[in-house]
Amino acid sequence: MAPSTAAPPMPQAPRNGQLRVMEAVHGWINRGELTRGDALPAMRRMAETLDVDKATVCRALATLQEKGLIQRQGRRLHLSEQATTHNESAPVLGNTVLVVTSADTHADKVRRGWLGQVIEGLLGEAHARQCNAMVVHPKRLETELGALSAARPLGFVMIGSEHNRQTCARIEEAGLPLVLYGDEFEAHGHDMITPDHVIGTRDLTRGLIERGAKRLLRLWVHRESNEERPIWLGQRDAGFEQAVREAGLEVMPPVEFRRSPPAKGVDVFEQHVREVAGRLVEHLTGPEPIDAILVPTDGQIPEVAAACRLFGRTPNRHVLLAGYDNDWATSDFRDRDPTRPLLTTAHDTAHLGQALLRTVIERASNPNAEPKRIALPPAVVDVASM
């Protein structure tokens, strides 16, 4: 059955014009609107419908011709006899991106947090492109990767879960695209989307300096006692030091420690406050006290604020507090100390999710391209003005 003279409905246009054309052709095949031997719509009509120029259509079709999906017959291009069409052994998950995450996407805190917003952006982009997205738990992936790979999905996105090198290698061996969300996996050799922590922390530090801070301290508290120092923390250091040096101020070394496991029967919040206070005492009571503190995440603001008060230092008056991730409203200890950060950062989480989906589709169409790392900077949020 040849397609009608009017081109079939198209998915929402991605940024890359050639990719847009190739996705359109694959979409016709997947929906059964093209089968072996059918003529493609005229290049002029495709260019008008897809809002690209004719040269872009020509280059995209040349790529599909090289791959053997289409062939020239006379003056028109036709779907080749070798093409696998909708009616015969189409891959079960051929139009599906598998999202590997251990996060409970139904949990209210996840939905409202940054991870839920990243996933929401990814799902929205999948809907706009008329493809499917299916969530897979990483523990199921360990036993079901073979079956999932055999179903030939568009590719995998790993987000909010541990990026196991062995699992990544198995996905790669299956010839499937893989995109990672995170900032600790440069050595894996896969496409990666990540927030730009260098720029985010640089701009956050500049904001504190603009508000009068001259002695700024990084208080890097590790959540787990046995975790390695995160790569993103080194990126945060680079951004901080750049801003402080630009302002001609002293770069104070960070105060960094690993949090102790909660003691049995002890108030967890009070334990955290004492741990922080013990490390801040010399910086808050010495002859040159600090006037600003940066912490890894908004969730640590309540304990730092409470520790400052122990030394008679009012948070955000005597000591400016800067968080990260703009999730202070969901902090576990806001009921114990409702102090907000003066400044924090907000990632364009929907854009991060959209970038993940776009990248896995681009990788599927060009598997031999060099892996890329896309870093998207967050914006500084003035919480005091909210």
Side-chain angles (χ1 to χ4, degrees):
M1 176 186 69
S4 60
T5 54
M10 305 294 169
Q12 181 170 317
R15 293 180 179 178
N16 185 297
Q18 293 183 55
L19 178 61
R20 188 183 316 168
V21 176
M22 291 188 285
E23 285 180 347
V25 175
H26 283 292
W28 298 337
I29 295 170
N30 291 337
R31 294 189 296 271
E33 296 165 10
L34 279 178
T35 188
R36 291 181 177 184
D38 285 347
L40 272 65
M43 283 195 284
R44 178 183 57 80
R45 182 177 295 277
M46 293 177 69
E48 292 174 355
T49 306
L50 295 169
D51 192 24
V52 297
D53 56 53
K54 190 175 177 181
T56 298
V57 175
C58 185
R59 287 193 295 269
L61 296 182
T63 298
L64 295 178
Q65 196 170 356
E66 291 174 1
K67 294 181 177 182
L69 186 67
I70 60 178
Q71 61 186 17
R72 181 169 296 280
Q73 296 180 14
R75 299 181 62 185
R76 296 289 297 275
L77 289 169
H78 294 247
L79 196 64
S80 73
E81 293 297 322
Q82 288 74 39
T84 300
T85 65
H86 177 79
N87 295 322
E88 45 183 274
S89 65
V92 175
L93 299 178
N95 199 35
T96 302
V97 173
L98 301 182
V99 183
V100 184
T101 177
S102 57
D104 180 1
T105 55
H106 294 289
D108 184 60
K109 187 171 183 178
V110 173
R111 287 202 311 271
R112 289 188 294 149
W114 66 269
L115 179 56
Q117 294 165 13
V118 170
I119 295 174
E120 183 178 347
L122 186 152
L123 296 177
E125 185 73 4
H127 180 78
R129 290 172 177 262
Q130 299 183 9
C131 65
N132 306 314
M134 185 174 79
V135 174
V136 179
H137 195 281
K139 290 192 179 299
R140 302 293 297 182
L141 191 66
E142 294 173 6
T143 57
E144 298 176 4
L145 181 57
L148 290 171
S149 299
R152 307 307 298 172
L154 275 174
F156 287 82
V157 170
M158 300 186 75
I159 174 173
S161 60
E162 182 182 354
H163 301 65
N164 181 278
R165 289 178 182 269
Q166 186 176 3
T167 301
C168 292
R170 289 176 62 197
I171 292 173
E172 191 174 52
E173 288 171 3
L176 294 170
L178 171 64
V179 179
L180 304 177
Y181 176 85
D183 27 42
E184 302 182 18
F185 310 100
E186 285 90 341
H188 279 205
H190 301 287
D191 294 318
M192 181 172 61
I193 311 295
T194 174
D196 193 325
H197 296 295
V198 176
I199 291 179
T201 307
R202 181 201 66 189
D203 293 347
L204 190 67
T205 306
R206 285 175 175 172
L208 292 172
I209 294 171
E210 289 168 0
R211 286 159 178 78
K214 296 185 181 301
R215 289 185 58 77
L216 299 91
L217 180 73
R218 290 160 285 173
L219 182 66
W220 295 154
V221 183
H222 293 251
R223 293 183 179 181
E224 303 291 340
S225 60
N226 59 350
E227 71 176 5
E228 296 180 0
R229 192 178 200 267
I231 289 177
W232 57 263
L233 205 52
Q235 297 167 356
R236 299 275 300 273
D237 283 331
F240 172 86
E241 292 171 9
Q242 178 184 346
V244 172
R245 288 195 176 98
E246 286 175 349
L249 301 174
E250 177 189 357
V251 178
M252 300 178 63
V255 171
E256 184 170 347
F257 67 96
R258 301 180 187 277
R259 179 166 284 162
S260 303
K264 186 176 181 180
V266 173
D267 185 304
V268 174
F269 178 70
E270 289 298 328
Q271 177 177 318
H272 290 176
V273 172
R274 288 196 300 271
E275 283 186 321
V276 169
R279 288 164 173 83
L280 289 181
V281 57
E282 63 178 290
H283 298 285
L284 292 174
T285 62
E288 295 183 281
I290 57 173
D291 52 18
I293 299 175
L294 291 85
V295 296
T297 178
D298 287 359
Q300 295 173 5
I301 291 292
E303 64 200 58
V304 175
C308 289
R309 287 195 180 91
L310 293 178
F311 302 103
R313 308 280 289 174
T314 303
N316 292 330
R317 188 172 72 185
H318 298 120
V319 184
L320 307 183
L321 302 182
Y324 210 80
D325 293 334
N326 198 29
D327 57 1
W328 53 268
T330 60
S331 168
D332 290 337
F333 295 114
R334 278 206 75 211
D335 59 328
R336 304 293 298 275
D337 190 308
T339 302
R340 301 178 178 185
L342 180 72
L343 300 176
T344 186
T345 62
H347 303 291
D348 187 353
T349 47
H351 191 193
L352 287 167
Q354 292 163 2
L356 284 166
L357 198 285
R358 285 197 299 267
T359 303
V360 77
I361 291 177
E362 291 170 4
R363 174 59 57 186
S365 66
N366 191 7
N368 296 320
E370 286 295 317
K372 58 185 176 181
R373 181 182 187 272
I374 301 175
L376 302 175
V380 173
V381 177
D382 186 343
V383 180
S385 66
M386 297 175 62

